[in-house]
């Protein structure tokens, strides 16, 4: 779907142990607002909307499960019993984790009649929309321990997401406004600085996100009024044969004195898409947030492996 880069709460992680982890995620989100420090937590509208009291719809689900969305539209377009019977639908629906959920008792062996199609489609959609409710509620509970829940109804879900995570659209002009220059005579009017911004303006939003990740480990702009500054330093004695460097703790990149825009673009794109090891530090894919985990037992296997690795490392 359009949100294929989003983290979706794992509906199989519903024991108290995992719900407490989701509450901790909510607390981190609250801290991000309190400290005006954006965190890279790309969650879909399925999570953000319930937090501000907005109702999720089929489009929100289709954004993270395109196959289900297309199937829903196909079944809605059926015009007669013959077409419906060809789909061989039963009273069950495939969950986000791939498991089949019965909508009635022994649903897998009960065919859906043509006259029942609207009821079936409604029930299937509602089950899918509510899959992650326990995890989303736990996130909200944790968030509410740091930020009063009363502030949420006055925000849209997009405003809440941008406040916590920063805006996903990277405007070069806004980035330029929070930029400071080191070793550039004339600051932003220096030829290398001008060349740099021409390269950035010619980038796709995905490339700009990679540039930010290279500079400070996050793919989104800092929250407005956060005071964060993007620093560009001109490297002395470095030229076309060198790559740019970064200091993620300081939101800084060091640029060699490139001779032309083409060379700078080539070197910069290579650096920002090749030097991404910081994105993998401490990552635990497939435990709390996933699209494909089958159940909580599988998640426990992953968690146990991570615990054993930590113990071996001292």
């Amino acid at each position: 779907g359009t949100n294929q880069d989003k983290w979706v709460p794992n509906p199989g992680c519903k024991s108290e142990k995992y719900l407490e982890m989701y509450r901790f995620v909510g607390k981190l989100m609250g801290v991000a607002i309190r400290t005006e420090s954006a965190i890279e937590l790309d969650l879909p509208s399925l999570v953000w909307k319930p937090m501000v009291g907005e109702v999720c719809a089929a489009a929100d689900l289709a954004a993270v499960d395109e196959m289900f969305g297309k199937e829903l539209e196909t079944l809605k377009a059926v015009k007669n019993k013959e077409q419906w019977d060809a789909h061989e639908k039963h009273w069950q629906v495939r969950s986000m984790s791939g498991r089949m959920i019965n909508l009635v008792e022994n649903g897998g062996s009960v065919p859906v009649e043509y006259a029942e199609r609207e009821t079936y489609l409604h029930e299937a959609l509602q089950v899918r929309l509510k899959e992650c409710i326990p995890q989303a509620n736990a996130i909200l509970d944790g968030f509410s321990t740091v930020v009063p829940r009363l502030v949420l109804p006055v925000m849209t879900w997009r405003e809440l997401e941008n406040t916590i995570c920063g805006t996903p659209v990277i405007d070069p002009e806004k980035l330029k406004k929070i930029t400071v220059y080191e070793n550039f005579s004339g600051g932003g009017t220096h030829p290398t600085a001008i060349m740099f911004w021409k390269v950035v303006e010619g980038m796709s939003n995905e490339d700009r996100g990679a540039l930010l990740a290279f500079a400070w480990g996050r793919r989104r702009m800092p929250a407005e009024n956060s005071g964060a500054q993007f620093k560009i330093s001109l490297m002395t004695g470095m030229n076309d044969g060198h790559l740019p460097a970064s200091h993620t703790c300081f939101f800084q990149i060091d640029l060699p004195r490139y001779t032309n825009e083409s060379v700078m673009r080539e070197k910069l794109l290579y650096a920002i898409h090749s030097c991404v090891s910081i994105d993998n530090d401490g990552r635990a894919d497939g435990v709390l947030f996933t699209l494909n985990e089958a159940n909580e037992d599988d998640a426990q296997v992953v968690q146990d492996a991570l615990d054993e690795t930590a113990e071996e490392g001292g």
Side-chain angles (χ1 to χ4, degrees):
T2 56
N3 286 336
Q4 59 183 334
D5 59 338
K6 302 293 185 182
W7 290 102
V8 181
N10 185 342
C13 292
K14 50 191 175 184
S15 70
E16 183 56 30
K17 169 187 174 181
Y18 286 111
L19 292 180
E20 186 57 35
M21 292 181 182
Y22 283 111
R23 292 186 192 102
F24 180 71
V25 171
K27 292 176 182 178
L28 290 178
M29 292 162 65
V31 170
I33 288 182
R34 288 287 192 183
T35 61
E36 297 184 335
S37 300
I39 58 175
E40 188 175 347
L41 187 62
D42 285 336
L43 301 173
S45 55
L46 280 174
V47 176
W48 296 113
K49 281 189 173 182
M51 291 186 69
V52 297
E54 294 185 30
V55 178
C56 292
D60 298 298
L61 185 57
V64 295
D65 190 344
E66 186 176 18
M67 184 178 297
F68 179 79
K70 288 183 175 179
E71 181 184 27
L72 208 61
E73 291 303 315
T74 298
L75 294 176
K76 285 181 178 180
V78 169
K79 299 298 184 181
N80 55 58
K81 184 178 186 302
E82 184 179 8
Q83 290 179 358
W84 180 263
D85 290 344
H87 288 283
E88 299 182 340
K89 300 306 296 182
H90 293 78
W91 284 93
Q92 58 180 191
V93 63
R94 188 177 300 279
S95 73
M96 194 172 294
S97 62
R99 293 181 295 108
M100 299 305 296
I101 300 175
N102 289 328
L103 302 179
V104 298
E105 187 175 355
N106 299 318
S109 58
V110 181
V112 181
E113 300 298 334
Y114 176 66
E116 302 171 318
R117 67 191 186 284
E118 292 186 5
T119 301
Y120 167 77
L121 293 174
H122 174 77
E123 292 297 323
L125 177 60
Q126 292 307 307
V127 166
R128 290 299 312 276
L129 287 175
K130 295 176 182 178
E131 268 189 290
C132 300
I133 289 296
Q135 294 76 25
N137 285 342
I139 291 174
L140 179 57
D141 288 342
F143 177 86
S144 301
T145 64
V146 182
V147 176
R149 197 175 296 202
L150 291 174
V151 306
L152 294 176
V154 301
M155 305 176 74
T156 66
W157 74 268
R158 183 67 78 180
E159 288 172 339
L160 178 62
E161 179 193 25
N162 291 347
T163 302
I164 293 173
C165 305
T167 175
V169 178
I170 301 163
D171 184 345
E173 289 302 317
K174 289 185 177 180
L175 183 59
K176 193 182 298 185
K177 288 180 180 179
I178 63 169
T179 299
V180 295
Y181 303 89
E182 182 179 72
N183 300 329
F184 286 86
S185 58
T189 62
H190 189 281
T192 301
I194 293 174
M195 190 187 304
F196 172 78
W197 289 113
K198 285 184 178 179
V199 170
V200 172
E201 289 167 1
M203 289 179 171
S204 65
N205 195 67
E206 181 181 358
D207 287 337
R208 291 172 191 161
L211 173 65
L212 288 185
F214 178 70
W216 77 323
R218 307 173 190 179
R219 293 180 175 271
R220 296 198 179 202
M221 288 281 290
E224 292 187 18
N225 304 318
S226 67
Q229 290 186 318
F230 175 42
K231 185 176 182 180
I232 306 176
S233 178
L234 187 61
M235 302 168 73
T236 58
M238 302 295 183
N239 50 37
D240 291 353
H242 299 83
L243 290 169
S246 68
H247 308 275
T248 53
C249 291
F250 303 102
F251 197 3
Q252 174 181 336
I253 64 172
D254 299 339
L255 282 178
R257 194 185 296 266
Y258 294 119
T259 56
N260 59 67
E261 188 178 328
S262 178
V263 173
M264 179 181 284
R265 180 181 296 105
E266 177 188 350
K267 299 293 185 181
L268 196 56
L269 289 175
Y270 180 84
I272 64 179
H273 288 295
S274 300
C275 305
V276 294
S277 59
I278 188 171
D279 290 342
N280 296 319
D281 291 348
R283 176 172 287 184
D285 285 354
V287 182
L288 287 179
F289 296 94
T290 182
L291 279 173
N292 300 313
E293 280 302 328
N295 52 53
E296 187 170 303
D297 292 336
D298 291 342
Q300 184 63 54
V301 170
V302 176
Q303 185 63 51
D304 290 343
L306 290 169
D307 293 341
E308 289 174 7
T309 301
E311 291 173 1
E312 290 172 0

